[in-house]
Amino acid sequence: MGKKRKHSESVPEPKKIVESAPERPKRTLLGWKEKVEEDRETSSPIFRNKEKVLVTCSRRIIYRYRHLMLNVVSLLPHCKKDNKVESKESKGATLNELVELKNCNSCLFFECRKQKDLYLWMAKSPNGPSVKFLVNAVHTMEELKLTGNHLKGSRPLLTFSSNFDKDPHWKLLKEIITQIFGTPKDHRKAKPFHDHVFVFSIVDDHIWFRNYQISVPHNEIDKVDRGGLDKMTLVEVGPRFCLNPIKIFGGSFGGPTLYENPFYVSPNQIRALEKRKKAGKYAKKVKAKTRRKMHEQSNQLEPDEFADLWKE
């Protein structure tokens, strides 16, 4: 019989190498997403525009200006609407906090004063710059009832007049407007079509906004006719408004003043001048009455001979 091996001399069995399970691919709406494609997307050097705009207004805003704000919200698919904010001196800190909570980059704040005047703040958060406008000549879509119509959520083309390239403050305003009103290319709520145009033009140191539908003639099969692009027309959709720049600040809703409009006159001063004119008219009437009385006293008429003729 052979000898028994001692327990210490027993040969150890080789350890089994446990391989980790392959990572499961990510599931999307279009199917399973391979890891190679995911790595390619994350490591791609292509710039992706992730611009988001917060649109809000102040309390006690009148219905007309609120409708204008809702029209702007319907035109910008990359915006987020929020509750009303109290219009105080500390509104800048509140709005910056709201922009950060909503994960946005910019803000459009419609501020109504005295239920008459509308101010529009365009701000890049959190580092600025920001612009304060006075909004005039407001016409909403409900008022105009224009024949133009375009797809909701489609990306607009932005056109600027040549005046924007003259002065540095106009160049800065052009860049801010481009970043806020330009819809990102692959935004999830945006449609990949260009069927309307935002027109920004400078007339009398004011920025005038218009929105036009691009109308191209086509046949029954929805194909553009040969030479149809030459017959392309623009049909206005709305809304309309005019922006009068007041100040450009270095920070978000405040900071150092980069530009101040020397031709700006506040609506309070305009109303005060109108009241003075009306007060001047009344003062003229009172002076005319006193002059008439003094003239009658100094130039009295002769007594009438036939005044008491029929009294007897």
Side-chain angles (χ1 to χ4, degrees):
M1 288 183 68
K3 293 181 180 179
K4 286 186 178 181
R5 290 183 179 177
K6 293 181 180 179
H7 186 68
S8 60
E9 295 178 1
S10 60
V11 180
E13 295 181 0
K15 293 182 180 179
K16 293 181 180 180
I17 301 171
V18 181
E19 295 181 356
S20 59
E23 191 176 348
R24 196 173 180 184
K26 189 178 180 182
R27 182 160 190 175
T28 61
L29 293 173
L30 302 175
W32 296 100
K33 194 173 184 181
E34 297 295 334
K35 190 181 178 184
V36 181
E37 295 180 4
E38 193 176 346
D39 294 342
R40 194 184 303 157
E41 285 186 5
T42 53
S43 62
S44 61
I46 301 170
F47 169 73
R48 187 176 178 186
N49 188 0
K50 296 183 179 180
E51 185 75 29
K52 294 178 185 176
V53 184
L54 177 70
V55 181
T56 183
C57 63
S58 62
R59 294 191 181 277
R60 294 174 293 278
I61 189 171
I62 62 175
Y63 71 96
R64 197 150 173 258
Y65 297 152
R66 188 178 71 251
H67 290 175
L68 175 67
M69 183 192 72
L70 294 176
N71 291 158
V72 173
V73 169
S74 65
L75 292 176
L76 303 178
H78 62 291
C79 75
K80 292 184 179 181
K81 187 175 172 295
D82 200 69
N83 297 329
K84 296 178 181 178
V85 178
E86 192 67 41
S87 179
K88 293 181 179 178
E89 293 181 358
S90 61
K91 64 177 177 291
T94 309
L95 286 168
N96 285 328
E97 189 175 352
L98 275 175
V99 171
E100 188 178 356
L101 287 172
K102 290 286 182 178
N103 195 20
C104 296
N105 314 99
S106 310
C107 182
L108 287 175
F109 179 57
F110 292 83
E111 184 180 5
C112 186
R113 297 276 184 90
K114 297 185 177 180
Q115 295 189 340
K116 295 177 182 178
D117 310 322
L118 179 65
Y119 297 92
L120 174 62
W121 286 84
M122 291 185 189
K124 298 291 294 179
S125 183
N127 300 321
S130 56
V131 194
K132 186 180 181 182
F133 296 99
L134 175 68
V135 186
N136 296 319
V138 175
H139 299 283
T140 60
M141 288 184 183
E142 292 79 13
E143 290 176 357
L144 294 171
K145 295 181 181 178
L146 296 167
T147 57
N149 186 19
H150 60 77
L151 190 67
K152 186 176 181 181
S154 58
R155 296 178 62 214
L157 297 173
L158 301 182
T159 60
F160 297 89
S161 61
S162 58
N163 304 346
F164 276 96
D165 298 327
K166 287 185 177 179
D167 297 322
H169 64 277
W170 292 123
K171 289 181 182 178
L172 179 60
L173 289 177
K174 179 181 178 180
E175 185 61 32
I176 294 173
I177 292 171
T178 305
Q179 292 187 20
I180 291 177
F181 284 88
T183 305
K185 185 179 179 183
D186 296 323
H187 195 271
R188 60 188 182 87
K189 290 186 180 179
K191 312 266 188 319
F193 307 109
H194 294 283
D195 62 346
H196 65 291
V197 186
F198 289 165
V199 180
F200 297 91
S201 52
I202 299 174
V203 180
D204 298 331
D205 293 323
H206 291 60
I207 300 175
W208 297 80
F209 173 82
R210 295 290 184 271
N211 180 25
Y212 296 98
Q213 174 203 354
I214 302 172
S215 178
V216 182
H218 58 276
N219 54 21
E220 297 177 356
I221 319 170
D222 285 340
K223 289 185 178 179
V224 179
D225 296 331
R226 184 174 293 178
L229 294 176
D230 299 334
K231 302 174 185 176
M232 182 176 63
T233 55
L234 296 177
V235 185
E236 189 171 356
V237 183
R240 295 177 178 177
F241 54 88
C242 172
L243 301 175
N244 184 12
I246 303 172
K247 282 185 180 182
I248 301 177
F249 300 98
S252 179
F253 297 101
T257 304
L258 304 179
Y259 169 77
E260 186 173 359
N261 189 1
F263 305 106
Y264 171 72
V265 180
S266 70
N268 293 328
Q269 292 180 359
I270 294 172
R271 283 192 288 267
L273 290 172
E274 289 177 355
K275 283 184 179 179
R276 284 177 191 170
K277 284 182 181 179
K278 290 179 182 178
K281 286 182 182 179
Y282 178 73
K284 285 179 183 178
K285 286 182 182 179
V286 173
K287 285 181 181 178
K289 282 184 180 180
T290 54
R291 280 200 305 269
R292 181 69 183 171
K293 286 181 180 178
M294 291 173 65
H295 179 72
E296 289 176 355
Q297 290 175 2
S298 59
N299 301 298
Q300 292 185 354
L301 296 173
E302 295 180 359
D304 190 5
E305 298 177 0
F306 305 102
D308 302 327
L309 179 64
W310 302 104
K311 285 184 179 181
E312 293 179 356

